[in-house]
Amino acid sequence: MTGLVQQADFSVLPNVSPVHCVTITLAAWTPILVKLFKQPTPQQFLKSVTTAAFTSFFFGYHVHEKAVLVILVPYGLLALSDGQSAKDYFFISFLGTYSLFPLLFEAQEFLVKIVILLMVHILMLSTLRRVYTELKLNRFEKLYIYGLVGHFVTAEVLLPIFFARLEFLPLLLYSAYCSIGTVYSYAKLFLSVQV
């Protein structure tokens, strides 16, 4: 059965209820809203909406990987406001699209997901570079995106061959690797709202 959401009781980790998630989310929204009320500009509003969406993604009770699309929509609008936001959008968009790869798990979808990812982001990068000529990723962002190639080969080719019995290991690898870039992007955006 797919799409089933179940409650789990943990023996080592603490149990987290929806009330905990709402409390943490509201607490994380507070500095975003304070900044927006102090500086109510269209740019700050868009940045605040994007950061609030990102915060909800992080601290939500049951968040599916598809929820990253809720972040990408307002971030796409924010990318039109300045070069730094455009660069950050490209990074999280690339990562967010890549994080959806486990949803396309059939063998015939193998090349399709690679072609779509590359075509969309090559077109996006060339379009953004027409507007912002100095659109360059920093060293960490470049290494992280290059690391996706090794990650992809490991998760999609090597693990299914050598560890076929551990069918959730590739999903774990996707979650772990993508979480690093997502936390980085969130921290960067959250801190930029506070400046």
Side-chain angles (χ1 to χ4, degrees):
M1 185 182 298
T2 60
L4 181 64
V5 177
Q6 297 177 340
Q7 290 289 114
D9 288 322
F10 301 106
S11 57
V12 177
L13 298 173
N15 289 315
V16 178
S17 73
V19 172
H20 295 121
C21 295
V22 167
T23 304
I24 293 168
T25 301
L26 291 175
W29 278 0
T30 302
I32 300 164
L33 294 174
V34 167
K35 177 70 174 191
L36 178 60
F37 286 124
K38 286 182 178 178
Q39 186 183 2
T41 64
Q43 166 93 12
Q44 188 61 41
F45 176 76
L46 197 50
K47 197 176 263 195
S48 297
V49 167
T50 306
T51 310
F54 223 140
T55 300
S56 298
F57 174 77
F58 260 107
F59 301 118
Y61 182 65
H62 175 76
V63 178
H64 195 274
E65 55 269 339
K66 292 180 286 197
V68 76
L69 298 173
V70 173
I71 301 164
L72 296 181
V73 172
Y75 221 140
L77 296 173
L78 187 62
L80 301 174
S81 64
D82 64 272
Q84 181 64 44
S85 295
K87 181 181 76 77
D88 294 341
Y89 172 70
F90 176 80
F91 181 77
I92 191 63
S93 174
F94 198 95
L95 173 62
T97 305
Y98 180 79
S99 72
L100 299 176
F101 275 16
L103 299 175
L104 302 171
F105 54 87
E106 298 290 334
Q108 65 267 24
E109 297 166 334
F110 185 83
L111 286 177
V112 172
K113 57 188 172 185
I114 297 169
V115 169
I116 289 173
L117 176 76
L118 293 177
M119 282 178 44
V120 166
H121 288 87
I122 288 170
L123 178 64
M124 180 191 301
L125 189 60
S126 65
T127 303
L128 288 173
R129 281 198 172 148
R130 286 186 184 149
V131 178
Y132 308 107
T133 54
E134 292 296 318
L135 192 69
K136 295 184 178 165
L137 301 175
N138 65 35
R139 181 179 292 179
F140 171 80
E141 293 162 347
K142 285 180 190 174
L143 288 173
Y144 188 87
I145 288 179
Y146 293 144
L148 290 174
V149 174
H151 177 273
F152 182 79
V153 170
T154 303
E156 297 283 339
V157 179
L158 299 177
L159 291 178
I161 292 171
F162 296 110
F163 297 100
R165 287 188 6 223
L166 302 173
E167 62 188 70
F168 289 106
L169 190 56
L171 296 174
L172 176 66
L173 194 60
Y174 268 101
S175 292
Y177 193 79
C178 290
S179 68
I180 295 166
T182 307
V183 169
Y184 166 80
S185 293
Y186 176 68
K188 197 171 178 185
L189 180 62
F190 191 86
L191 292 173
S192 78
V193 170
Q194 302 310 310
V195 175

Short mmCIF file of all heavy atoms in Angstrom, two decimals, residues 37-91:
data_model
loop_
_atom_site.label_atom_id
_atom_site.label_comp_id
_atom_site.label_asym_id
_atom_site.label_seq_id
_atom_site.Cartn_x
_atom_site.Cartn_y
_atom_site.Cartn_z
N PHE A 37 7.58 43.05 9.80
CA PHE A 37 6.84 44.18 10.35
C PHE A 37 7.73 45.42 10.49
O PHE A 37 7.26 46.54 10.36
CB PHE A 37 6.21 43.83 11.70
CG PHE A 37 5.01 42.93 11.56
CD1 PHE A 37 4.96 41.72 12.22
CD2 PHE A 37 3.94 43.29 10.75
CE1 PHE A 37 3.85 40.88 12.08
CE2 PHE A 37 2.83 42.46 10.61
CZ PHE A 37 2.79 41.26 11.27
N LYS A 38 9.02 45.21 10.73
CA LYS A 38 9.95 46.34 10.83
C LYS A 38 10.31 46.91 9.46
O LYS A 38 10.61 48.08 9.33
CB LYS A 38 11.23 45.91 11.55
CG LYS A 38 11.07 45.73 13.03
CD LYS A 38 12.39 45.35 13.67
CE LYS A 38 12.26 45.20 15.17
NZ LYS A 38 13.53 44.79 15.79
N GLN A 39 10.31 46.03 8.46
CA GLN A 39 10.70 46.44 7.11
C GLN A 39 9.69 45.89 6.10
O GLN A 39 9.97 44.92 5.40
CB GLN A 39 12.11 45.90 6.81
CG GLN A 39 12.70 46.36 5.53
CD GLN A 39 14.06 45.71 5.30
OE1 GLN A 39 14.53 44.90 6.09
NE2 GLN A 39 14.68 46.06 4.20
N PRO A 40 8.50 46.50 6.01
CA PRO A 40 7.44 45.96 5.15
C PRO A 40 7.58 46.36 3.68
O PRO A 40 6.79 47.14 3.16
CB PRO A 40 6.17 46.53 5.78
CG PRO A 40 6.61 47.82 6.37
CD PRO A 40 8.04 47.62 6.81
N THR A 41 8.60 45.82 3.03
CA THR A 41 8.80 46.09 1.60
C THR A 41 8.37 44.86 0.79
O THR A 41 8.31 43.76 1.34
CB THR A 41 10.27 46.39 1.31
OG1 THR A 41 11.05 45.22 1.60
CG2 THR A 41 10.78 47.57 2.14
N PRO A 42 8.07 45.03 -0.49
CA PRO A 42 7.72 43.87 -1.31
C PRO A 42 8.83 42.80 -1.32
O PRO A 42 8.54 41.60 -1.26
CB PRO A 42 7.52 44.46 -2.71
CG PRO A 42 7.14 45.88 -2.46
CD PRO A 42 7.91 46.29 -1.23
N GLN A 43 10.08 43.23 -1.39
CA GLN A 43 11.22 42.30 -1.38
C GLN A 43 11.26 41.51 -0.07
O GLN A 43 11.43 40.31 -0.05
CB GLN A 43 12.52 43.09 -1.56
CG GLN A 43 13.77 42.32 -1.24
CD GLN A 43 14.38 41.66 -2.43
OE1 GLN A 43 14.01 41.95 -3.54
NE2 GLN A 43 15.32 40.78 -2.20
N GLN A 44 11.09 42.22 1.05
CA GLN A 44 11.12 41.56 2.36
C GLN A 44 9.92 40.63 2.53
O GLN A 44 10.04 39.56 3.12
CB GLN A 44 11.15 42.59 3.49
CG GLN A 44 11.38 41.99 4.86
CD GLN A 44 12.71 41.27 4.97
OE1 GLN A 44 13.73 41.74 4.46
NE2 GLN A 44 12.71 40.13 5.61
N PHE A 45 8.77 41.02 1.99
CA PHE A 45 7.59 40.17 2.06
C PHE A 45 7.84 38.85 1.33
O PHE A 45 7.56 37.77 1.87
CB PHE A 45 6.37 40.87 1.45
CG PHE A 45 5.16 40.00 1.41
CD1 PHE A 45 4.42 39.74 2.55
CD2 PHE A 45 4.76 39.42 0.21
CE1 PHE A 45 3.30 38.91 2.52
CE2 PHE A 45 3.65 38.59 0.17
CZ PHE A 45 2.91 38.34 1.31
N LEU A 46 8.37 38.93 0.14
CA LEU A 46 8.65 37.72 -0.65
C LEU A 46 9.70 36.84 0.03
O LEU A 46 9.57 35.62 0.09
CB LEU A 46 9.10 38.12 -2.05
CG LEU A 46 9.06 37.05 -3.12
CD1 LEU A 46 7.72 36.33 -3.17
CD2 LEU A 46 9.37 37.67 -4.47
N LYS A 47 10.72 37.48 0.58
CA LYS A 47 11.75 36.74 1.31
C LYS A 47 11.16 36.07 2.55
O LYS A 47 11.49 34.93 2.88
CB LYS A 47 12.90 37.68 1.68
CG LYS A 47 14.17 36.97 2.06
CD LYS A 47 15.29 37.95 2.32
CE LYS A 47 16.14 38.09 1.10
NZ LYS A 47 17.42 38.75 1.36
N SER A 48 10.26 36.78 3.23
CA SER A 48 9.63 36.23 4.44
C SER A 48 8.71 35.06 4.10
O SER A 48 8.69 34.06 4.82
CB SER A 48 8.84 37.32 5.16
OG SER A 48 9.71 38.34 5.60
N VAL A 49 7.94 35.19 3.03
CA VAL A 49 7.06 34.08 2.60
C VAL A 49 7.90 32.85 2.26
O VAL A 49 7.57 31.73 2.66
CB VAL A 49 6.18 34.51 1.40
CG1 VAL A 49 5.51 33.31 0.76
CG2 VAL A 49 5.15 35.52 1.83
N THR A 50 8.98 33.06 1.53
CA THR A 50 9.85 31.95 1.15
C THR A 50 10.47 31.30 2.39
O THR A 50 10.50 30.06 2.50
CB THR A 50 10.97 32.44 0.20
OG1 THR A 50 10.36 33.11 -0.91
CG2 THR A 50 11.81 31.30 -0.30
N THR A 51 10.95 32.11 3.30
CA THR A 51 11.56 31.57 4.52
C THR A 51 10.53 30.87 5.39
O THR A 51 10.81 29.82 5.99
CB THR A 51 12.25 32.70 5.32
OG1 THR A 51 13.10 33.43 4.44
CG2 THR A 51 13.09 32.14 6.45
N ALA A 52 9.32 31.41 5.46
CA ALA A 52 8.26 30.77 6.23
C ALA A 52 7.88 29.41 5.62
O ALA A 52 7.65 28.44 6.34
CB ALA A 52 7.04 31.68 6.33
N ALA A 53 7.83 29.35 4.30
CA ALA A 53 7.55 28.07 3.63
C ALA A 53 8.65 27.06 3.93
O ALA A 53 8.39 25.89 4.20
CB ALA A 53 7.41 28.29 2.12
N PHE A 54 9.90 27.52 3.87
CA PHE A 54 11.04 26.67 4.17
C PHE A 54 10.97 26.19 5.63
O PHE A 54 11.22 25.01 5.93
CB PHE A 54 12.33 27.45 3.95
CG PHE A 54 13.42 26.70 3.25
CD1 PHE A 54 14.20 27.34 2.31
CD2 PHE A 54 13.69 25.38 3.53
CE1 PHE A 54 15.23 26.68 1.65
CE2 PHE A 54 14.72 24.70 2.89
CZ PHE A 54 15.49 25.35 1.95
N THR A 55 10.61 27.09 6.54
CA THR A 55 10.49 26.75 7.95
C THR A 55 9.42 25.69 8.16
O THR A 55 9.61 24.72 8.90
CB THR A 55 10.17 28.01 8.78
OG1 THR A 55 11.22 28.96 8.59
CG2 THR A 55 10.02 27.70 10.25
N SER A 56 8.28 25.85 7.49
CA SER A 56 7.20 24.87 7.60
C SER A 56 7.64 23.51 7.05
O SER A 56 7.27 22.47 7.58
CB SER A 56 5.97 25.37 6.84
OG SER A 56 5.52 26.56 7.41
N PHE A 57 8.42 23.53 5.98
CA PHE A 57 8.96 22.30 5.42
C PHE A 57 9.85 21.59 6.44
O PHE A 57 9.77 20.38 6.61
CB PHE A 57 9.76 22.62 4.14
CG PHE A 57 10.48 21.45 3.55
CD1 PHE A 57 9.79 20.49 2.82
CD2 PHE A 57 11.85 21.31 3.69
CE1 PHE A 57 10.46 19.41 2.25
CE2 PHE A 57 12.52 20.24 3.14
CZ PHE A 57 11.83 19.29 2.41
N PHE A 58 10.68 22.36 7.12
CA PHE A 58 11.61 21.77 8.08
C PHE A 58 10.94 21.23 9.32
O PHE A 58 11.30 20.19 9.82
CB PHE A 58 12.67 22.79 8.50
CG PHE A 58 13.95 22.60 7.79
CD1 PHE A 58 14.33 23.48 6.81
CD2 PHE A 58 14.77 21.54 8.09
CE1 PHE A 58 15.51 23.30 6.13
CE2 PHE A 58 15.95 21.35 7.41
CZ PHE A 58 16.32 22.23 6.44
N PHE A 59 9.99 21.97 9.85
CA PHE A 59 9.44 21.62 11.16
C PHE A 59 8.03 21.06 11.10
O PHE A 59 7.40 20.87 12.13
CB PHE A 59 9.49 22.84 12.08
CG PHE A 59 10.88 23.38 12.28
CD1 PHE A 59 11.20 24.67 11.88
CD2 PHE A 59 11.87 22.60 12.84
CE1 PHE A 59 12.48 25.16 12.05
CE2 PHE A 59 13.16 23.08 13.01
CZ PHE A 59 13.46 24.37 12.62
N GLY A 60 7.53 20.78 9.90
CA GLY A 60 6.19 20.22 9.76
C GLY A 60 6.11 18.82 10.34
O GLY A 60 7.10 18.11 10.47
N TYR A 61 4.89 18.41 10.68
CA TYR A 61 4.69 17.12 11.34
C TYR A 61 4.91 15.95 10.38
O TYR A 61 5.64 15.03 10.67
CB TYR A 61 3.28 17.05 11.94
CG TYR A 61 3.02 15.76 12.67
CD1 TYR A 61 3.74 15.45 13.81
CD2 TYR A 61 2.08 14.85 12.21
CE1 TYR A 61 3.52 14.26 14.49
CE2 TYR A 61 1.85 13.67 12.89
CZ TYR A 61 2.57 13.38 14.02
OH TYR A 61 2.36 12.20 14.68
N HIS A 62 4.25 15.99 9.26
CA HIS A 62 4.47 14.94 8.25
C HIS A 62 4.75 15.63 6.93
O HIS A 62 3.84 16.14 6.29
CB HIS A 62 3.25 14.02 8.12
CG HIS A 62 3.41 13.02 7.02
ND1 HIS A 62 4.21 11.92 7.15
CD2 HIS A 62 2.92 12.98 5.78
CE1 HIS A 62 4.18 11.23 6.02
NE2 HIS A 62 3.40 11.86 5.17
N VAL A 63 6.00 15.65 6.55
CA VAL A 63 6.40 16.35 5.34
C VAL A 63 6.93 15.33 4.34
O VAL A 63 7.83 14.55 4.65
CB VAL A 63 7.48 17.41 5.64
CG1 VAL A 63 7.93 18.09 4.37
CG2 VAL A 63 6.94 18.43 6.62
N HIS A 64 6.38 15.34 3.17
CA HIS A 64 6.82 14.47 2.09
C HIS A 64 7.86 15.22 1.27
O HIS A 64 7.87 16.45 1.24
CB HIS A 64 5.61 14.10 1.21
CG HIS A 64 5.85 12.95 0.31
ND1 HIS A 64 6.41 13.09 -0.92
CD2 HIS A 64 5.63 11.63 0.47
CE1 HIS A 64 6.52 11.90 -1.50
NE2 HIS A 64 6.05 11.01 -0.67
N GLU A 65 8.73 14.49 0.59
CA GLU A 65 9.78 15.16 -0.20
C GLU A 65 9.20 16.07 -1.28
O GLU A 65 9.84 17.04 -1.69
CB GLU A 65 10.77 14.17 -0.80
CG GLU A 65 10.19 13.07 -1.65
CD GLU A 65 9.85 11.81 -0.87
OE1 GLU A 65 10.40 11.60 0.22
OE2 GLU A 65 9.03 11.04 -1.36
N LYS A 66 7.98 15.80 -1.72
CA LYS A 66 7.36 16.67 -2.73
C LYS A 66 7.08 18.07 -2.18
O LYS A 66 6.89 19.01 -2.93
CB LYS A 66 6.05 16.06 -3.24
CG LYS A 66 6.24 14.81 -4.06
CD LYS A 66 4.92 14.27 -4.53
CE LYS A 66 4.21 13.63 -3.37
NZ LYS A 66 3.12 12.73 -3.73
N ALA A 67 7.04 18.21 -0.87
CA ALA A 67 6.75 19.51 -0.25
C ALA A 67 7.82 20.55 -0.55
O ALA A 67 7.60 21.74 -0.36
CB ALA A 67 6.58 19.35 1.26
N VAL A 68 8.98 20.11 -1.05
CA VAL A 68 10.02 21.07 -1.42
C VAL A 68 9.52 21.99 -2.54
O VAL A 68 9.98 23.12 -2.67
CB VAL A 68 11.33 20.34 -1.82
CG1 VAL A 68 11.24 19.71 -3.19
CG2 VAL A 68 12.51 21.27 -1.74
N LEU A 69 8.52 21.54 -3.29
CA LEU A 69 7.95 22.38 -4.35
C LEU A 69 7.27 23.62 -3.77
O LEU A 69 7.23 24.66 -4.42
CB LEU A 69 6.97 21.56 -5.20
CG LEU A 69 7.59 20.37 -5.93
CD1 LEU A 69 6.51 19.54 -6.61
CD2 LEU A 69 8.64 20.81 -6.92
N VAL A 70 6.76 23.52 -2.55
CA VAL A 70 6.13 24.68 -1.89
C VAL A 70 7.18 25.76 -1.64
O VAL A 70 6.86 26.95 -1.65
CB VAL A 70 5.45 24.25 -0.58
CG1 VAL A 70 4.94 25.44 0.21
CG2 VAL A 70 4.33 23.27 -0.88
N ILE A 71 8.41 25.38 -1.45
CA ILE A 71 9.51 26.34 -1.26
C ILE A 71 9.92 26.94 -2.59
O ILE A 71 10.19 28.13 -2.70
CB ILE A 71 10.73 25.65 -0.62
CG1 ILE A 71 10.36 25.04 0.72
CG2 ILE A 71 11.90 26.60 -0.50
CD1 ILE A 71 11.38 24.04 1.22
N LEU A 72 9.98 26.11 -3.62
CA LEU A 72 10.53 26.54 -4.91
C LEU A 72 9.66 27.57 -5.62
O LEU A 72 10.18 28.42 -6.35
CB LEU A 72 10.77 25.33 -5.81
CG LEU A 72 11.80 24.34 -5.31
CD1 LEU A 72 11.97 23.19 -6.29
CD2 LEU A 72 13.13 25.02 -5.03
N VAL A 73 8.36 27.54 -5.40
CA VAL A 73 7.48 28.51 -6.09
C VAL A 73 7.76 29.94 -5.64
O VAL A 73 8.09 30.79 -6.47
CB VAL A 73 5.99 28.11 -5.94
CG1 VAL A 73 5.09 29.21 -6.47
CG2 VAL A 73 5.72 26.79 -6.65
N PRO A 74 7.68 30.25 -4.34
CA PRO A 74 8.01 31.64 -3.96
C PRO A 74 9.48 31.98 -4.16
O PRO A 74 9.83 33.12 -4.47
CB PRO A 74 7.61 31.74 -2.49
CG PRO A 74 7.55 30.34 -1.99
CD PRO A 74 7.22 29.48 -3.17
N TYR A 75 10.35 30.97 -4.02
CA TYR A 75 11.79 31.21 -4.23
C TYR A 75 12.05 31.60 -5.69
O TYR A 75 12.94 32.40 -5.98
CB TYR A 75 12.61 29.98 -3.86
CG TYR A 75 13.88 30.27 -3.12
CD1 TYR A 75 14.29 29.47 -2.07
CD2 TYR A 75 14.71 31.33 -3.47
CE1 TYR A 75 15.45 29.72 -1.38
CE2 TYR A 75 15.88 31.59 -2.78
CZ TYR A 75 16.25 30.78 -1.74
OH TYR A 75 17.41 31.03 -1.05
N GLY A 76 11.29 31.02 -6.61
CA GLY A 76 11.43 31.38 -8.02
C GLY A 76 11.11 32.85 -8.25
O GLY A 76 11.78 33.52 -9.05
N LEU A 77 10.11 33.36 -7.56
CA LEU A 77 9.79 34.79 -7.66
C LEU A 77 10.89 35.64 -7.01
O LEU A 77 11.26 36.68 -7.53
CB LEU A 77 8.44 35.07 -7.01
CG LEU A 77 7.23 34.41 -7.67
CD1 LEU A 77 5.98 34.62 -6.84
CD2 LEU A 77 7.05 34.94 -9.08
N LEU A 78 11.38 35.16 -5.87
CA LEU A 78 12.46 35.88 -5.18
C LEU A 78 13.72 35.93 -6.04
O LEU A 78 14.47 36.92 -6.01
CB LEU A 78 12.74 35.19 -3.84
CG LEU A 78 13.72 35.87 -2.89
CD1 LEU A 78 13.20 37.24 -2.48
CD2 LEU A 78 13.94 34.99 -1.66
N ALA A 79 13.95 34.90 -6.84
CA ALA A 79 15.14 34.84 -7.70
C ALA A 79 15.18 35.98 -8.71
O ALA A 79 16.25 36.35 -9.20
CB ALA A 79 15.19 33.50 -8.44
N LEU A 80 14.02 36.55 -9.01
CA LEU A 80 13.97 37.64 -9.97
C LEU A 80 14.35 38.98 -9.36
O LEU A 80 14.49 39.97 -10.08
CB LEU A 80 12.55 37.74 -10.56
CG LEU A 80 12.06 36.48 -11.28
CD1 LEU A 80 10.61 36.65 -11.69
CD2 LEU A 80 12.94 36.18 -12.48
N SER A 81 14.55 39.02 -8.03
CA SER A 81 14.80 40.29 -7.36
C SER A 81 16.28 40.67 -7.29
O SER A 81 16.60 41.86 -7.31
CB SER A 81 14.20 40.29 -5.96
OG SER A 81 14.83 39.30 -5.16
N ASP A 82 17.18 39.70 -7.16
CA ASP A 82 18.61 40.02 -7.09
C ASP A 82 19.44 38.79 -7.41
O ASP A 82 18.95 37.66 -7.38
CB ASP A 82 18.98 40.59 -5.71
CG ASP A 82 18.79 39.60 -4.58
OD1 ASP A 82 17.67 39.54 -4.03
OD2 ASP A 82 19.73 38.88 -4.26
N GLY A 83 20.71 39.02 -7.71
CA GLY A 83 21.61 37.95 -8.13
C GLY A 83 21.86 36.91 -7.06
O GLY A 83 21.95 35.72 -7.36
N GLN A 84 21.98 37.33 -5.80
CA GLN A 84 22.22 36.37 -4.71
C GLN A 84 21.03 35.42 -4.56
O GLN A 84 21.21 34.21 -4.43
CB GLN A 84 22.48 37.11 -3.39
CG GLN A 84 22.76 36.19 -2.22
CD GLN A 84 24.04 35.37 -2.42
OE1 GLN A 84 25.06 35.89 -2.86
NE2 GLN A 84 23.97 34.09 -2.11
N SER A 85 19.82 35.96 -4.61
CA SER A 85 18.63 35.11 -4.51
C SER A 85 18.53 34.17 -5.71
O SER A 85 18.11 33.03 -5.57
CB SER A 85 17.37 35.97 -4.42
OG SER A 85 17.37 36.71 -3.22
N ALA A 86 18.92 34.66 -6.89
CA ALA A 86 18.89 33.82 -8.09
C ALA A 86 19.86 32.66 -7.95
O ALA A 86 19.53 31.51 -8.29
CB ALA A 86 19.24 34.66 -9.32
N LYS A 87 21.06 32.92 -7.44
CA LYS A 87 22.05 31.87 -7.24
C LYS A 87 21.57 30.86 -6.21
O LYS A 87 21.66 29.64 -6.42
CB LYS A 87 23.37 32.50 -6.80
CG LYS A 87 24.49 31.51 -6.58
CD LYS A 87 25.75 32.22 -6.11
CE LYS A 87 25.69 32.61 -4.69
NZ LYS A 87 25.90 31.55 -3.73
N ASP A 88 21.02 31.36 -5.12
CA ASP A 88 20.51 30.47 -4.07
C ASP A 88 19.33 29.64 -4.58
O ASP A 88 19.19 28.46 -4.24
CB ASP A 88 20.11 31.27 -2.85
CG ASP A 88 21.29 31.93 -2.16
OD1 ASP A 88 22.44 31.50 -2.41
OD2 ASP A 88 21.07 32.89 -1.40
N TYR A 89 18.48 30.26 -5.40
CA TYR A 89 17.35 29.54 -5.99
C TYR A 89 17.84 28.43 -6.90
O TYR A 89 17.30 27.32 -6.87
CB TYR A 89 16.44 30.50 -6.75
CG TYR A 89 15.38 29.78 -7.54
CD1 TYR A 89 14.33 29.13 -6.89
CD2 TYR A 89 15.41 29.72 -8.92
CE1 TYR A 89 13.36 28.45 -7.60
CE2 TYR A 89 14.44 29.06 -9.64
CZ TYR A 89 13.42 28.41 -8.98
OH TYR A 89 12.46 27.73 -9.69
N PHE A 90 18.83 28.72 -7.72
CA PHE A 90 19.35 27.68 -8.61
C PHE A 90 19.83 26.48 -7.80
O PHE A 90 19.52 25.33 -8.13
CB PHE A 90 20.50 28.23 -9.48
CG PHE A 90 21.12 27.16 -10.33
CD1 PHE A 90 20.51 26.76 -11.51
CD2 PHE A 90 22.29 26.53 -9.95
CE1 PHE A 90 21.06 25.76 -12.29
CE2 PHE A 90 22.85 25.53 -10.72
CZ PHE A 90 22.24 25.14 -11.90
N PHE A 91 20.55 26.75 -6.73
CA PHE A 91 21.09 25.66 -5.91
C PHE A 91 19.98 24.82 -5.29
O PHE A 91 19.97 23.60 -5.41
CB PHE A 91 22.01 26.23 -4.82
CG PHE A 91 22.62 25.19 -3.94
CD1 PHE A 91 23.69 24.41 -4.38
CD2 PHE A 91 22.13 24.96 -2.65
CE1 PHE A 91 24.25 23.43 -3.57
CE2 PHE A 91 22.68 23.99 -1.84
CZ PHE A 91 23.74 23.23 -2.30
#
